Amino acid sequence: QVQLVESGGGSVQAGGSLRLSCAASGYTYAANCMAWFRQAPGKEREGVAAIYTGRDDTYYTDSVKGRFTISQDNAKKTVYLQMSNLKPEDTAMYYCVVPGYARTCGSWWPNDLEYKYWGQGTQVTVSS
């Protein structure tokens, strides 16, 4: 059974930084597209960033470009999301996700329906 465990969330002031981690276990894919989604109260889930672990190809939603960096340690099956210059609008529950089979990232990556496995989420709160 695939398990994704997020950590690193918390409360910070605007302009601050946080690093989220996602440890994956239970699957044997050599490489896969892994992503971070977020959902704020009353809003739809939003794809934040994705990485293809086989080549370090990265993808970002426009609102976080230049502020967030997704990276990975393939040996540890861990994906990170370094978040800098945080804004109150970044406040949300952040989820690590992975598809049900090994695939490269592509234009589909922001579609939450493409992902089978979700972590439990980690809360990020940014105050002004």
Side-chain angles (χ1 to χ4, degrees), residues 1 4 10 21 24-25 27 33 35 37 39 45 53-54 57 59-60 63 65-66 70 76 78 91 97 107 115 127:
Q1 180 69 20
L4 303 169
S21 298
S25 62
Y27 74 88
C33 181
F37 275 71
Q39 188 166 24
R45 264 190 310 219
T53 62
D57 298 342
Y59 306 78
Y60 299 93
S63 62
K65 285 180 181 176
I70 189 170
K76 296 182 180 179
T78 299
T91 295
V97 299
S107 58
Y115 298 91
S127 58

Side-chain angles (χ1 to χ4, degrees), residues 82-104:
Q82 177 67 47
M83 306 185 294
S84 302
N85 191 20
L86 282 160
K87 303 176 180 181
E89 51 263 43
D90 295 316
T91 295
M93 186 71 79
Y94 284 71
Y95 299 92
C96 176
V97 299
V98 66
Y101 59 96
R103 57 189 303 194
T104 59

Side-chain angles (χ1 to χ4, degrees), residues 1-2 15 53 67 69 88 93 109 125 128:
Q1 180 69 20
V2 174
T53 62
R67 301 188 299 120
T69 302
M93 186 71 79
W109 80 265
T125 302
S128 58

